Amino acid sequence: MNWLDKLERRTPFLAVHGLLRYVAMFTALIFILYKVNPPFIALLDLDPAAVMRGQVWRLVTYICVPQTGSILPLPDWLNAAFFVFFLIWVGDGLERAWGAHRLTVYFLLGMIGTTVAAFFFGARFSNAMLMASLFFAFARFYPDSIIYVAYILPMKMKWIAWITAGFILLQFVGGSMALRAATLVAFGNFFLFFGRDFFSSVRQRQTVSARRKRFEAEQAPADEPLHRCAVCGSTEKTDANLEFRVARDGEEYCLSHLPSAAEAAR
């Protein structure tokens, strides 16, 4: 029994069924309010300085800020709608795979990691890293699911996840120490849930690769004959018409030199 099983037994009250559906609902509501009054959305981001001034609602409201960016010049309402439906799709999939309790714990740990990163490394954070951690978790369970990039290009989740991870890694390598630390902390939920499996799979692949190389090294060369006469040394490669038999003494002979039963018994 791992720590997640123990936690689930001790804290069943943490399970929130349909958690990301609620997040999606409030995200849609916030987008509508934003369209009515655009400055309103500036009051919702995770801004540590503002939180310290008493705006504590930001510790929660930032998770419902809609992501409206896109590589195509599309209306923001279309991108927001896609983001809302994507949240529902990911949430339903993760709840099927994990159950409500583990999904809730994963989400809460992601919120805590994002908050810690914002406060300790002086950054103003949106929910982008939290949503990315949900996306990576979904890709682990459903790697072959298809999503349409820019609404037109079908691509498997696992490839999108690898491409996204590549961009994050580039930012990690080229960024400041504060950004690197913030990234590690913000993705702490993913490392806690999947780190052990990831390193186990890496070790397993290394073990399998080492065994394959050892097996190939121990195999006979392709031009090595399968049969060889213990008397004359002839093989099926020297004469394709030769036939070979194993005598009672355990040696292999061509028919011309096959000893009689009496000779082999001596």
Side-chain angles (χ1 to χ4, degrees), residues 110-132:
M111 287 181 62
I112 293 171
T114 302
T115 303
V116 170
F119 274 82
F120 280 81
F121 304 105
R124 184 170 179 171
F125 270 61
S126 69
N127 56 19
M129 288 187 177
L130 177 59
M131 297 307 164

Side-chain angles (χ1 to χ4, degrees), residues 2-238:
N2 60 28
W3 67 274
L4 285 170
D5 296 322
K6 295 177 181 177
L7 183 63
E8 187 168 2
R9 290 183 62 183
R10 295 175 180 175
T11 59
F13 56 87
L14 287 178
V16 180
H17 295 277
L19 171 64
L20 290 190
R21 284 181 171 264
Y22 293 119
V23 174
M25 179 181 68
F26 282 109
T27 299
L29 176 62
I30 286 175
F31 180 77
I32 294 172
L33 295 175
Y34 157 72
K35 296 301 290 184
V36 173
N37 183 21
F40 161 76
I41 206 165
L43 298 173
L44 307 179
D45 274 340
L46 182 56
D47 184 349
V51 172
M52 297 301 292
R53 291 196 300 268
Q55 299 178 11
V56 294
W57 63 82
R58 292 176 180 267
L59 295 172
V60 177
T61 56
Y62 80 93
I63 67 174
C64 297
V65 174
Q67 298 290 326
T68 58
S70 174
I71 60 176
L72 296 178
L74 297 172
D76 57 356
W77 65 265
L78 182 60
N79 292 326
F82 174 79
F83 181 69
V84 168
F85 284 113
F86 184 75
L87 273 178
I88 296 173
W89 183 51
V90 168
D92 290 350
L94 288 177
E95 191 162 331
R96 284 194 304 270
W98 263 335
H101 186 275
R102 293 197 180 192
L103 175 56
T104 304
V105 171
Y106 186 83
F107 193 81
L108 289 176
L109 288 175
M111 287 181 62
I112 293 171
T114 302
T115 303
V116 170
F119 274 82
F120 280 81
F121 304 105
R124 184 170 179 171
F125 270 61
S126 69
N127 56 19
M129 288 187 177
L130 177 59
M131 297 307 164
S133 71
L134 290 169
F135 174 76
F136 289 144
F138 186 88
R140 288 282 294 181
F141 287 113
Y142 307 100
D144 295 322
S145 295
I146 300 295
I147 189 172
Y148 285 84
V149 178
Y151 312 109
I152 55 175
L153 178 63
M155 188 176 292
K156 289 185 177 181
M157 292 291 291
K158 59 184 178 183
W159 301 124
I160 301 176
W162 279 114
I163 293 172
T164 304
F167 281 115
I168 293 174
L169 183 61
L170 286 175
Q171 293 178 349
F172 181 85
V173 172
S176 63
M177 288 300 297
L179 177 61
R180 293 175 186 175
T183 301
L184 291 175
V185 173
F187 283 104
N189 57 343
F190 184 82
F191 299 137
L192 278 173
F193 273 67
F194 296 104
R196 182 177 179 181
D197 292 341
F198 176 77
F199 289 113
S200 295
S201 64
V202 170
R203 286 197 299 268
Q204 185 178 9
R205 284 196 295 269
Q206 291 175 341
T207 301
V208 170
S209 178
R211 288 178 178 174
R212 183 180 295 113
K213 290 179 181 179
R214 186 167 61 251
F215 175 79
E216 292 173 351
E218 292 173 353
Q219 296 302 300
D223 58 349
E224 184 74 16
L226 295 175
H227 307 286
R228 185 184 299 275
C229 178
V231 175
C232 66
S234 298
T235 70
E236 79 278 5
K237 293 186 178 294
T238 59

